[in-house]
Amino acid sequence: MKANETTLRGLIGGEQQLLVPLYQRPYSWEREQLATLWRDIEIQADRIEQGKDNSHFLGSVVLAPGPNNSPGNYEWLVVDGQQRLTTLMVALCALRDHQAAEDPLHRERINETHLINRFRPGDARYRLLPTQVDRQAFKDCVEGQPFGATGSLIASAYQFFRTKLVEVDDPADPHDIARIESVVLNRLNVVQIVVEGDDNAFRIFESINNTGTRLSQVDLIRNYVFMHLPTKGQFVYDTYWLPMQKKLGPKGMDQLMYLALVLDRGDEAQYNDTYRGHQELLRSVTMDKRHVEDHVEEYVKNLARRARYLQRILEPNGGSEIDARLRFLNEWKGNTAYPVIMRLLELHDGGEVSEDKVVEAQSYIESFLVRRLIGGVTTGNLNKIFMRLTSELTGEEPVANVVRASLSPARLFWSSDEQFRSDVRNRAFYWQGRTAQQKLVLRRLEKSYGGKESVELSDKKITIEHVLPQSPTAEWREQLATEGDAERIHKELVHTLGNLTLSGYNSELSNMSFAKKRDFLAHTSLVMNQEIAKHERWGKAEIHSRADELASRAIEIWPSPLDVGPVGPSRDWTLLHSALAALPAGTWTTYGDLAELIGSHAVPVGVHLSTSQVLNAHRVLTATGQVSPGFHWVDENDDRDIHEVLRAEGIKLDDADRADPSQRISARELAELLELPGAVDLGEAELAGDDGYVQLGEHEQRFFQQLGETKGPQAAGAVSRLLEWWRGRGGEVQFGRAAGASCAPIIKLGKDILPIVRFYAKTVEVPFATLKKRVPFNDLILRDELRRRLNEAPGVELPAAKLDLYPSFDIDLLANDAVWDVVVSALDWSASHVKGAQDPN
């Protein structure tokens, strides 16, 4: 055996080939593993920017000589490490394509230096060759060819990296992507183990993968601290360490160590290297060898002092205004702001800052978070912003002024009052942030009305209510039509703040007419609902009027930034760019879906895409699935036929060049791909027991009435027969209360409810996005098997690209006995697998 530390550049350098044997499992990394790697890559990129010469240990790669290995023909079998190795090669492909959009030379540079052996024939051309299952997808990735329809997770990994590169690419920083490339090639260290044969290789493999319980960073810091306290160790432990450990618990201690590092090092602190950071700090205080124990005791004493601040942040039970704002921050889950808050509490504790000034600084932080949320600004850079701000709070200048000035530059998108009013009126607030954050905003607005009756707004039964419902009835559509195109108006308004309120009657209100909703809203204790109930109707004019009124209240609650010069971009297009980058292979979306997602109109979306180089912009089509008549490539020299490009990418076009509707990604699915909480709530709401589905005859009757009116008696009869069969085998059926009536044959697994399919008035939906969170369908292979089984039905073609989303097919098809039999068989198969998960024996 030979072992040496190397990098990806060292592993793949020269004319050689790393071959993944056929007996290895297919590529299996999903979003969780990819996200962990990406965080490590970002940390290292930050260190390059700071001039730090660090690296990150990624693991080991075990290689054995391949069957054709010889001098001049270097072939190695990858016995262990193929997942991380394949991932890094896919990341290189994504880096190549991202940079080639600006300069085509990057394609040849990265290909010939890292991905291919230019003068080798056939499969020997590729420096890495995965197993047969993933081989074609990987080849397509290296060759820059469309993936088309593929079951390999390599396509998903490539899409993940393209999405992340779009998010981090800062136009103001010409070197940011180059730093990412440098990290992938040079700063992710691996131990390369070369063995003589398979038997020895597998012994090594078993040895390096034989894991026990690993020490946490706090364990390592504690051990390092008390190693320096041979005589004072027990005293320091009893006096300082044990009390703070009891106060904070393991998670709190972990947080404390990182925050203490931020307070001392600012934005140089790295969470994954907390132990190393404390090691360096301790080395600096132990340089005086005569008083080592005194210095280390003081070090731990300071940690204990800061532990008190963190405990106050985590459990702000006092009656002061500082504590009230800390409670808001905790509910907001504003952990990224904790270093700034700790510094403020530290300065206040030392008598350097008054309570009023701390509260004023807190108000600016809160406003910064709220205004950015309502403006749809992504949160990816908040950690860096607050870390840098922490180091600026020295106490030499008024802290409130420092906080406000530091957060005010236009590039940070803390919106002005004018922009804030526009965001409140037009942005799809329901897609932004987490549900708890949305409720906090509405709670603060309700409090501004000064209602006399106290309402416990933190009660979980209080939910967000769409006054204009998400699925409007004919009566609602008729009312909207008096103001223009009903469908367009609904999409533009339904998720905006002006149409949202708080209610404890969400399931009762559902899609009922405004006249009936008024009665409920008028008799609630919430003043904002009583104000809504004063209106005779609820349409565009009323929603805009309420939005303007809420904006005025919000401006009073959350102060504006300083006017620091030229206004920044009127719109942050990051969310749109991220949504398009996340489009799975073989799918398309519409201008209207994107507009609904970001809270815009379809026209400015189209203008932006036609004038900007945006990944996957050509896959944005009209509502009918056709290429826009005015479409043109941004690059004037690009003469490709758009329809041929779409077909090559796996999008099916009919004779009229209309894209297959089953491959369309809706606004809801785009939100799901981006993990926006509004989308998650939509998927989970229908599984929320009494709040979502109920076994009441009136809801069953309403479903079949809608189904019969929409699709006729044959479709209704087929669904009725299927539900009867399901109940006959002991299954349960639940009916939805939402505007678009629905029902689902469900399977129970412990506390979880699994709807294998959902029936609506027009479609049969397969809720893979919900199933992927439930055992046993959290296994991608099982979800794909369910998809394949359903696709055996004539006319049903669920795309593999939607295995994490909500594909559907026309409910009319169930009237065909062949389709009905396939769906019944798929339900039966699913039930047996769930039963197997309940009782493995």
Side-chain angles (χ1 to χ4, degrees):
M1 179 188 74
K2 294 180 181 178
N4 67 287
E5 190 171 342
T6 186
T7 61
L8 180 64
R9 186 188 291 275
L11 266 175
I12 60 177
E15 286 207 357
Q16 62 173 319
Q17 185 173 63
L18 303 175
L19 181 65
V20 180
L22 294 177
Y23 52 76
Q24 289 272 26
R25 63 176 176 166
Y27 180 70
S28 61
W29 273 25
E30 296 192 60
R31 188 176 184 86
E32 182 181 355
Q33 293 84 11
L34 295 170
T36 300
L37 173 62
W38 182 255
R39 283 194 295 271
D40 293 333
I41 289 172
E42 283 193 298
I43 287 169
Q44 292 303 316
D46 288 343
R47 287 183 172 165
I48 292 176
E49 186 180 12
Q50 296 161 8
K52 297 284 185 74
D53 188 24
N54 298 99
S55 59
H56 175 73
F57 178 62
L58 197 59
S60 58
V61 174
V62 180
L63 304 177
N68 299 315
N69 191 56
S70 63
N73 185 41
Y74 299 108
E75 179 184 85
W76 301 96
L77 296 179
V78 183
V79 178
D80 183 47
Q82 64 124 336
Q83 300 290 339
R84 62 181 70 95
L85 191 53
T86 305
T87 303
L88 293 176
M89 296 295 273
V90 171
L92 277 178
C93 292
L95 278 160
R96 173 200 65 195
D97 295 343
H98 184 89
Q99 295 177 88
E102 292 291 330
D103 184 351
L105 287 177
H106 288 291
R107 182 173 303 281
E108 186 177 356
R109 175 181 65 81
I110 292 179
N111 275 349
E112 297 194 10
T113 310
H114 309 300
L115 295 173
I116 64 170
N117 298 312
R118 181 179 178 185
F119 300 107
R120 293 288 182 91
D123 284 349
R125 169 180 170 83
Y126 303 97
R127 296 198 188 180
L128 174 72
L129 200 62
T131 61
Q132 288 286 359
V133 174
D134 299 304
R135 192 161 291 179
Q136 189 56 52
F138 184 78
K139 287 181 179 179
D140 289 342
C141 194
V142 172
E143 300 296 346
Q145 296 297 320
F147 287 104
T150 176
S152 174
L153 286 173
I154 284 177
S156 300
Y158 174 81
Q159 204 67 52
F160 173 87
F161 288 118
R162 288 302 304 265
T163 304
K164 290 302 180 184
L165 290 168
V166 167
E167 289 176 5
V168 302
D169 194 350
D170 182 356
D173 183 353
H175 306 297
D176 50 357
I177 301 300
R179 286 195 294 270
I180 297 285
E181 182 184 327
S182 180
V183 169
V184 171
L185 287 166
N186 306 316
R187 294 178 70 124
L188 299 177
N189 290 357
V190 296
V191 171
Q192 175 184 277
I193 301 172
V194 179
V195 296
E196 293 180 359
D198 281 355
D199 290 343
N200 196 20
F202 280 109
R203 273 207 309 277
I204 300 294
F205 170 72
E206 288 172 1
S207 174
I208 62 178
N209 284 281
N210 184 19
T211 58
T213 302
R214 298 182 64 185
L215 292 175
S216 70
Q217 298 210 69
V218 175
D219 292 330
L220 293 169
I221 294 168
R222 183 193 62 234
N223 294 351
Y224 193 79
V225 164
F226 287 98
M227 182 180 72
H228 291 88
L229 295 170
T231 64
K232 285 190 168 186
Q234 192 64 50
F235 171 77
V236 171
Y237 182 79
D238 292 338
T239 308
Y240 304 113
W241 194 279
L242 185 59
M244 70 177 174
Q245 188 171 281
K246 286 181 176 178
K247 280 179 188 175
L248 298 178
K251 288 184 179 178
M253 286 292 288
D254 186 61
Q255 240 179 332
L256 172 66
M257 295 305 169
Y258 172 61
L259 290 170
L261 203 60
V262 175
L263 290 173
D264 284 319
R265 294 188 147 195
D267 61 351
E268 293 183 12
Q270 301 292 346
Y271 180 79
N272 286 0
D273 271 348
T274 301
Y275 167 56
R276 186 182 297 180
H278 277 274
Q279 226 181 1
E280 291 172 2
L281 290 176
L282 280 161
R283 282 184 191 135
S284 68
V285 302
T286 56
M287 291 178 68
D288 180 359
K289 301 300 181 184
R290 293 172 299 172
H291 304 287
V292 169
E293 290 196 77
D294 292 339
H295 292 314
V296 174
E297 179 186 352
E298 187 64 26
Y299 186 86
V300 179
K301 186 177 179 180
N302 280 331
L303 282 176
R305 174 176 55 81
R306 286 169 168 171
R308 294 198 307 273
Y309 307 144
L310 179 57
Q311 186 183 27
R312 184 178 183 185
I313 291 171
L314 298 175
E315 300 174 12
N317 300 319
S320 70
E321 182 64 18
I322 288 178
D323 289 312
R325 290 191 178 274
L326 287 177
R327 286 192 285 274
F328 181 95
L329 191 67
N330 276 351
E331 286 194 66
W332 190 270
K333 300 292 182 189
N335 305 40
T336 51
Y338 283 1
V340 179
I341 301 299
M342 280 190 76
R343 175 72 81 206
L344 291 171
L345 293 178
E346 192 169 49
L347 293 170
H348 176 54
D349 191 38
E352 298 176 65
V353 179
S354 68
E355 180 169 333
D356 288 347
K357 291 302 177 183
V358 172
V359 170
E360 185 182 350
Q362 286 178 290
S363 74
Y364 294 137
I365 293 169
E366 189 177 305
S367 174
F368 180 74
L369 294 172
V370 171
R371 289 192 181 214
R372 278 170 54 104
L373 174 87
I374 292 175
V377 181
T378 56
T379 60
N381 59 347
L382 280 178
N383 197 42
K384 286 184 182 179
I385 291 171
F386 285 124
M387 287 169 76
R388 287 169 183 162
L389 172 55
T390 303
S391 60
E392 295 174 21
L393 293 170
T394 61
E396 296 176 5
E397 298 179 47
V399 291
N401 294 355
V402 172
V403 170
R404 194 179 190 189
S406 179
L407 299 178
S408 289
R411 60 186 169 79
L412 300 186
F413 291 103
W414 183 9
S415 56
S416 66
D417 288 347
E418 181 183 1
Q419 183 62 46
F420 192 36
R421 286 184 184 279
S422 173
D423 291 339
V424 170
R425 181 183 257 244
N426 299 313
R427 288 283 189 167
F429 178 65
Y430 192 66
W431 293 131
Q432 311 306 328
R434 296 177 300 104
T435 303
Q437 293 171 333
Q438 297 162 359
K439 288 172 69 175
L440 267 173
V441 170
L442 287 163
R443 281 163 53 186
R444 275 291 178 92
L445 289 169
E446 166 62 24
K447 190 176 178 181
S448 72
Y449 285 92
K452 296 178 181 179
E453 188 174 343
S454 177
V455 181
E456 185 47 65
L457 292 173
S458 59
D459 190 329
K460 289 185 178 178
K461 292 181 181 177
I462 302 289
T463 59
I464 295 175
E465 163 70 11
H466 290 73
V467 185
L468 168 63
Q470 297 186 68
S471 301
T473 59
E475 184 178 350
W476 275 102
R477 288 195 295 270
E478 211 173 291
Q479 178 182 308
L480 292 176
T482 62
E483 298 179 283
D485 183 333
E487 185 176 351
R488 181 180 59 79
I489 292 172
H490 178 265
K491 278 191 173 185
E492 289 174 3
L493 298 176
V494 65
H495 296 310
T496 60
L497 187 55
N499 186 52
L500 301 176
T501 188
L502 295 171
S503 170
Y505 302 98
N506 191 279
S507 59
E508 285 87 348
L509 293 172
S510 186
N511 66 321
M512 66 171 54
S513 67
F514 183 66
K516 292 180 180 178
K517 280 193 177 186
R518 284 180 64 205
D519 292 337
F520 273 93
L521 298 173
H523 293 93
T524 67
S525 302
L526 302 184
V527 181
M528 67 163 63
N529 289 346
Q530 295 167 14
E531 292 295 314
I532 294 171
K534 291 178 181 178
H535 293 281
E536 294 296 324
R537 64 186 302 280
W538 195 252
K540 183 175 182 177
E542 291 74 23
I543 292 172
H544 277 165
S545 174
R546 180 170 181 262
D548 293 342
E549 196 248 332
L550 291 178
S552 296
R553 291 179 177 277
I555 286 168
E556 289 296 316
I557 300 168
W558 294 294
S560 64
L562 292 172
D563 182 0
V564 292
V567 179
S570 61
R571 176 176 287 279
D572 175 18
W573 292 101
T574 306
L575 183 60
L576 179 141
H577 293 178
S578 298
L580 285 178
L583 272 182
T587 63
W588 58 281
T589 190
T590 71
Y591 297 99
D593 287 317
L594 288 170
E596 181 182 349
L597 179 77
I598 68 171
S600 176
H601 300 283
V603 172
V605 167
V607 170
H608 176 69
L609 294 180
S610 68
T611 56
S612 309
Q613 193 73 258
V614 180
L615 177 64
N616 292 329
H618 64 285
R619 287 202 261 155
V620 183
L621 308 177
T622 65
T624 59
Q626 294 172 295
V627 175
S628 170
F631 174 83
H632 60 86
W633 299 104
V634 175
D635 181 357
E636 295 178 357
N637 298 318
D638 193 336
D639 59 358
R640 291 176 297 164
D641 183 316
I642 177 60
H643 297 104
E644 290 306 314
V645 170
L646 293 172
R647 287 190 179 94
E649 292 180 345
I651 295 173
K652 297 172 184 174
L653 303 178
D654 64 14
D655 293 340
D657 286 332
R658 289 180 298 235
D660 185 344
S662 71
Q663 296 178 300
R664 173 183 170 181
I665 302 292
S666 66
R668 174 190 178 184
E669 290 176 317
L670 287 170
E672 181 82 36
L673 286 170
L674 296 173
E675 298 180 340
L676 301 182
V680 176
D681 293 342
L682 281 173
E684 294 296 313
E686 299 181 7
L687 299 173
D690 290 340
D691 291 330
Y693 271 96
V694 288
Q695 295 175 340
L696 297 176
E698 62 178 286
H699 296 286
E700 182 171 358
Q701 183 179 1
R702 184 165 66 91
F703 167 73
F704 279 106
Q705 182 180 346
Q706 280 193 21
L707 177 57
E709 290 173 355
T710 307
K711 291 294 186 179
Q714 282 191 312
V719 174
S720 178
R721 187 160 57 97
L722 188 147
L723 297 183
E724 185 180 348
W725 167 83
W726 182 251
R727 285 167 168 151
R729 73 186 305 284
E732 294 184 43
V733 179
Q734 291 187 322
F735 290 84
R737 294 188 178 192
S742 61
C743 75
I746 63 162
I747 304 171
K748 289 187 176 179
L749 179 58
K751 294 181 180 179
D752 286 337
I753 294 173
L754 287 80
I756 305 303
V757 293
R758 285 198 191 109
F759 299 119
Y760 293 92
K762 293 182 179 179
T763 60
V764 181
E765 177 186 272
V766 187
F768 287 130
T770 300
L771 290 174
K772 73 177 180 181
K773 301 167 192 169
R774 308 286 197 269
V775 175
F777 290 102
N778 56 341
D779 184 341
L780 179 70
I781 294 174
L782 267 188
R783 294 201 305 279
D784 192 44
E785 177 63 21
L786 173 59
R787 180 186 72 88
R788 292 174 189 274
R789 285 175 176 269
L790 289 169
N791 280 353
E792 291 175 6
V796 176
E797 194 166 350
L798 307 175
K802 288 199 173 188
L803 278 172
D804 290 339
L805 299 171
Y806 302 93
S808 61
F809 57 90
D810 198 312
I811 202 167
D812 281 345
L813 294 173
L814 281 177
N816 180 335
D817 286 343
V819 176
W820 193 92
D821 288 341
V822 168
V823 173
V824 164
S825 175
L827 286 170
D828 203 33
W829 174 85
S830 300
S832 68
H833 273 77
V834 174
K835 184 179 179 183
Q838 287 176 313
D839 183 15
N841 300 318

